Amino acid sequence: MQCNNRKRAVYGSLLLSTCLLIGCASSPQAPLDQQPATKPQPDSYESRINSQLQQAMTASTEDAIVLRTQASRLALENGDTDTAAAILDDIPTDQIENNLLANVLLAKAEIALMQNDNQRALVSLTDPVFQNLPTEFSDLRRQAGQTIARIYLAQQQPLAAAKAITSTPLATTTNAAQRRANQIWEILSSAPDGALNAEADIIDSYELRGWLELTNIVNRYQNNIDEQVEAVERWQALWNAHPAASQLPSAIAYVVNLQQQRPQKVALLLPMENVVGQAISDGFMLAYYHAAGQSQPLPAVEIFDTSQTREISPLYQQAVSTGADLIIGPLDKELVRQLQSMNSLPTPTLALNYLDDGDVIPRDLYQYGLAPEDEIAQLTSLARQAGHSQAAVLARDGANYTRIRDSFTQQWQSLGGKALSSATFRDASSYSDTIRQLMHIERSEARADALLSTLPRDSMISIPRRRQDIDLLFLQATPAEGKQLLPTFAFHYAGDVPIYALPSIYDGNATPGANRDLNDTVFVDAPWLLRDSDELKPDAQSMWPDEGNSTIMRLRAMGIDSFRLLDRLAQLDNFPGVSLQGATGTLRMDESGRISRQLLPALFAEGQPVLISETNTEQ
C-alpha cells in the first residue's frame, strides 16, 4: 500500500506515518470495549496516540485496526476531530471483518457528530454491516442504535429515536433490560405534545406499537392514578409478549407507590383578596371537584389567606399544625424567599413562585409558576431553529420588564444569536418614535435630508429604509398594544420582520379574524388557551362563560396544574425524565425541585391562533 502523505497541522507531534498493511481478517474480534486497553503513557494524549500507532505498525492486521480505532477515539475524547478522522482515513473498509468494520463505523459516526454532520453519522450507523453482525457482537448493534437515537432526539424526532433502540437486540441481563426500558420510556414520555402521532407512520414493529400504546394509556389516565394503574395492568395482559410487560419502566412501576403516598390534607397558602390568588384557587377547586365527581380519593383542603402576610413562618407553622402533609404556596416571591431561608421544611411544599438561580433550596421545597424565562427559552429556540440570528428586542418600559429584555438577550446569545438593538415603549403615543429608533428609520431620513439639501428637491422622492441587519423581533406586549404596534411597523417599512412574542400577545379569543392585525406573529402559550382537549374545559366554560381575560385564564390553568401535581411530585422528583401533560404546558422537574413548562408554539393566521405543528402538517 502506498503511504498517504497528506500533512495536517493538527497532527502536531503525532506520528505522521500511518501506512499499514491491511488485509482480510480471518477470525472474529471482540468489541473495542472488551479489548485490553493500551497502556497509557504518563505524558500527553498525543504521546499515547503515537504509542498506539507505533504498535499498530508491527501488529497483526486485526490488532492494527483495533489499535488505530482506539487511537482515533482517544483523539476524539480530547476534542481533536481532525486527528481522529485522519487516523481512520486509510483503513480499507471493504477488506475487514464485520465486527472490526462496525467499530470503525461507530468511531467515524462519533467524529461526524462532533463535526455537526448528523447525516454523515447516520450513513455510517445505518450501514448493513450492523444487521449482519453475529450474536456475540450484539453490543455493537446496541451502540449504533443508541447513537442513532441521540441524533433523532437532537432533531426532535422522539419516536424515531425510540425506534432506533427497539430495532437492536434485547438486553441479556435484568439490569440492562431495565435500563433499556427506562430509556425508551423517558424518550417517549418526554415527547412534545403531538410529536408521537406526527411520526406514527414509521411504526413497523410489534415492540414499537406496544410502546406507543403504553404511552397513550399512561397519558390518557395521568390525572387519575387508580385508573392509570388499572389501565397499565390491562396493557400488560394484552401485550404479554412485549419486553415491557414483564419489566415496566421504573417510573410507571412507581405509580403503585403513589397510590399509597397520597397526601391526606393539603393547605393552600394564597392571597385570596386579590384576583391572582382567587384565580389560582378557582382553578385548583375546579380540578378538585371534577376529581370528586370521578370518585377519586381526595385530601381535605384548607385555604390560608396570605393577603396581609409579611412574615410567612407563623402562618406556615399554623398550616403544619393542622396536620397538612402537603402545602401549596405561598405565591409572593418574598414569602418564598423566607421559606428558602429555613434550614429544612417539616412538610413537602410546592411554592407557586421561583427562587433566583444559584439559591440553596431546602429539601422538600418544590417550585412551580408561570415564569417568563420558560417562555423566552422556548421562543429563542424556535427562532434559532427557523434560521434567525440577528434580533431586536422590544418591550414595555419599566423595571418589571427590564428582566424580560435582559433574559431575551442572554438566552439569544447563549444560542449563538446576536442582539443588535433593544427599545422600550410607554403608550400609543410613543410607538412610532420607538420603532423609528429601533429600526434606524430616523438615520435613513437624516441621510435623505442631507442629500436633498444638495440637490433640487423636485428631482427626488425619498422613501426611508429600515436597517437590514435585523432578521427578527422579540416582542413583549399586550394584545391591544400588539394590534397597534404591528401596523406601525408596517407603516415604517418594517412589516416584513418576523415577530416572536410572549404569551401576553394573545387575549384568548379564537374567533376568526379577532386578531387579524397580529397575523404571522409567532408565540407560545399554555395548552389551556390553545386547545379544547383538556377534560376540564367544558366545566370551566360552563362556570365562567363570559371569561375574556387571558391572564386570569392562565392563572386558573396554574391552579389546575397545582392540583394535578399533588399526587405526582414524588414521581417527578424521583424520575427527572418523566413529564406531566398539564394545562399550563408539559411539566418537568429538575434536580433542584424547579418545575419548568414546555408550552405550545403557535402563530396567528387569518386572525386566529394556529398551532405550528398543525401548520407544518398541512404544508
Side-chain angles (χ1 to χ4, degrees):
M1 177 186 299
Q2 184 176 0
C3 181
N4 181 349
N5 291 320
R6 288 178 298 167
K7 294 184 179 180
R8 296 172 181 254
V10 295
Y11 259 85
S13 63
L14 296 181
L15 183 68
L16 291 177
S17 177
T18 59
C19 298
L20 300 173
L21 183 60
I22 300 175
C24 293
S26 58
S27 59
Q29 185 73 23
L32 290 181
D33 56 5
Q34 299 177 17
Q35 290 290 319
T38 303
K39 184 177 180 180
Q41 299 298 315
D43 45 2
S44 67
Y45 88 91
E46 291 95 337
S47 297
R48 293 167 61 191
I49 292 176
N50 275 336
S51 175
Q52 288 177 317
L53 293 179
Q54 287 170 343
Q55 293 178 56
M57 294 182 70
T58 58
S60 67
T61 298
E62 294 176 3
D63 290 342
I65 294 172
V66 172
L67 286 165
R68 289 182 65 178
T69 309
Q70 288 178 335
S72 175
R73 287 190 178 278
L74 182 57
L76 194 62
E77 290 170 5
N78 285 271
D80 196 346
T81 55
D82 287 341
T83 296
I87 292 172
L88 299 179
D89 271 354
D90 295 327
I91 296 180
T93 55
D94 58 340
Q95 299 178 24
I96 58 178
E97 290 283 353
N98 282 349
N99 58 290
L100 293 175
L101 176 56
N103 271 308
V104 172
L105 291 173
L106 280 169
K108 288 187 173 184
E110 290 290 345
I111 292 168
L113 287 178
M114 288 200 63
Q115 294 173 335
N116 296 316
D117 192 341
N118 289 346
Q119 190 55 44
R120 183 158 55 91
L122 282 173
V123 170
S124 293
L125 295 166
T126 54
D127 191 285
V129 67
F130 289 101
Q131 301 302 319
N132 298 326
L133 287 170
T135 304
E136 60 264 35
F137 299 115
S138 293
D139 280 350
L140 291 174
R141 286 184 61 187
R142 295 190 190 100
Q143 290 178 39
Q146 292 284 342
T147 310
I148 292 172
R150 283 166 46 199
I151 294 172
Y152 283 129
L153 280 177
Q155 296 175 343
Q156 298 184 341
Q157 300 179 62
L159 195 59
K163 178 180 178 179
I165 298 174
T166 60
S167 298
T168 63
L170 294 173
T172 56
T173 67
T174 301
N175 287 341
Q178 188 67 69
R179 288 194 299 272
R180 181 181 188 269
N182 290 347
Q183 182 185 19
I184 294 171
W185 179 248
E186 182 172 337
I187 290 171
L188 295 178
S189 65
S190 298
D193 196 21
L196 299 182
N197 291 333
E199 296 182 76
D201 59 331
I202 70 170
I203 298 175
D204 60 356
S205 70
Y206 170 84
E207 184 181 2
L208 195 57
R209 284 197 301 273
W211 276 115
L212 185 60
E213 179 63 19
L214 179 61
T215 304
N216 290 334
I217 284 174
V218 170
N219 288 341
R220 188 179 309 141
Y221 297 105
Q222 66 168 357
N223 298 324
N224 189 324
I225 289 178
D226 297 319
E227 287 191 0
Q228 189 178 77
V229 170
E230 293 174 3
V232 169
E233 290 174 349
R234 291 194 298 270
W235 179 90
Q236 287 176 290
L238 182 63
W239 294 81
N240 56 77
H242 195 279
S246 58
Q247 195 152 22
L248 286 170
S250 300
I252 298 180
Y254 187 79
V255 174
V256 176
N257 294 333
L258 297 180
Q259 288 180 299
Q260 304 164 357
Q261 297 173 1
R262 289 187 177 105
Q264 300 303 304
K265 183 169 184 179
V266 175
L268 290 181
L269 276 57
L270 292 171
M272 298 301 294
E273 293 179 8
N274 67 48
V275 294
V276 175
Q278 187 63 56
I280 294 174
S281 173
D282 285 346
F284 184 95
M285 299 312 298
L286 175 71
Y288 183 93
Y289 287 117
H290 180 85
Q294 296 181 327
S295 301
Q296 293 186 39
L298 293 170
V301 175
E302 186 171 355
I303 299 177
F304 294 80
D305 190 357
T306 63
S307 301
Q308 306 302 323
T309 301
R310 297 296 174 265
E311 296 291 333
I312 193 62
S313 181
L315 191 64
Y316 183 86
Q317 295 300 335
Q318 181 184 346
V320 172
S321 68
T322 64
D325 47 10
L326 178 66
I327 294 176
I328 297 179
L331 177 65
D332 182 85
K333 187 163 186 171
E334 178 54 36
L335 298 182
V336 178
R337 286 197 183 103
Q338 293 175 23
L339 283 184
Q340 181 260 338
S341 66
M342 300 170 64
N343 293 330
S344 62
L345 298 180
T347 301
T349 301
L350 177 64
L352 299 180
N353 210 323
Y354 295 104
L355 296 167
D356 295 328
D357 291 341
D359 286 345
V360 177
I361 312 298
R363 185 174 181 178
D364 286 331
L365 178 60
Y366 305 100
Q367 307 160 68
Y368 163 63
L370 306 183
E373 284 77 9
D374 291 338
E375 302 157 1
I376 291 169
Q378 192 169 349
L379 269 182
T380 52
S381 178
L382 282 171
R384 284 299 280 161
Q385 291 171 19
H388 302 300
S389 61
Q390 303 192 120
V393 181
L394 180 61
R396 287 190 61 84
D397 190 23
N400 292 336
Y401 302 102
T402 299
R403 166 186 162 202
I404 290 176
R405 297 199 310 274
D406 291 345
S407 183
F408 263 126
T409 300
Q410 292 166 9
Q411 292 274 11
W412 188 239
Q413 291 176 342
S414 72
L415 296 176
K418 294 180 180 180
L420 301 182
S421 183
S422 178
T424 62
F425 60 88
R426 295 181 306 278
D427 50 41
S429 65
S430 67
Y431 293 168
S432 182
D433 289 343
T434 298
I435 292 171
R436 283 158 50 82
Q437 173 191 352
L438 186 71
M439 304 307 294
H440 289 181
I441 301 298
E442 79 285 352
R443 296 187 186 183
S444 176
E445 291 173 337
R447 288 192 297 269
D449 289 343
L451 189 59
L452 287 171
S453 67
T454 61
L455 296 173
R457 292 181 180 269
D458 58 358
S459 66
M460 291 185 60
I461 297 176
S462 172
I463 299 178
R465 186 167 181 261
R466 72 165 179 88
R467 60 185 302 174
Q468 299 298 305
D469 53 350
I470 290 176
D471 61 9
L472 85 156
L473 172 75
F474 289 121
L475 176 65
Q476 182 280 318
T478 66
E481 291 164 345
K483 291 173 184 178
Q484 294 185 67
L485 282 166
L486 268 65
T488 307
F489 267 95
F491 178 78
H492 287 298
Y493 313 100
D496 59 336
V497 178
I499 295 178
Y500 287 69
L502 289 177
S504 59
I505 198 69
Y506 180 42
D507 59 8
N509 186 356
T511 304
N515 295 283
R516 192 174 301 278
D517 287 330
L518 300 176
N519 276 352
D520 299 325
T521 300
V522 175
F523 69 106
V524 294
D525 210 336
W528 185 257
L529 275 79
L530 294 176
R531 283 189 168 162
D532 291 326
S533 55
D534 195 293
E535 62 183 356
L536 290 180
K537 251 323 186 38
D539 291 347
Q541 291 168 346
S542 174
M543 187 170 295
W544 303 293
D546 298 324
E547 180 58 72
N549 187 319
S550 59
T551 299
I552 296 298
M553 294 166 70
R554 295 183 186 97
L555 290 168
R556 286 185 178 138
M558 181 180 171
I560 291 169
D561 281 350
S562 297
F563 173 82
R564 289 171 172 173
L565 285 166
L566 289 181
D567 297 334
R568 297 290 179 176
L569 283 176
Q571 186 185 36
L572 295 179
D573 194 6
N574 283 279
F575 302 95
V578 170
S579 61
L580 178 69
Q581 303 298 326
T584 59
T586 301
L587 308 181
R588 296 183 180 86
M589 185 186 295
D590 66 18
E591 59 185 12
S592 71
R594 185 187 192 277
I595 297 173
S596 61
R597 300 172 298 134
Q598 183 78 8
L599 296 95
L600 295 178
L603 58 80
F604 290 105
E606 297 184 3
Q608 62 183 339
V610 179
L611 293 176
I612 287 179
S613 58
E614 296 175 358
T615 302
N616 292 340
T617 300
E618 291 172 2
Q619 293 174 347

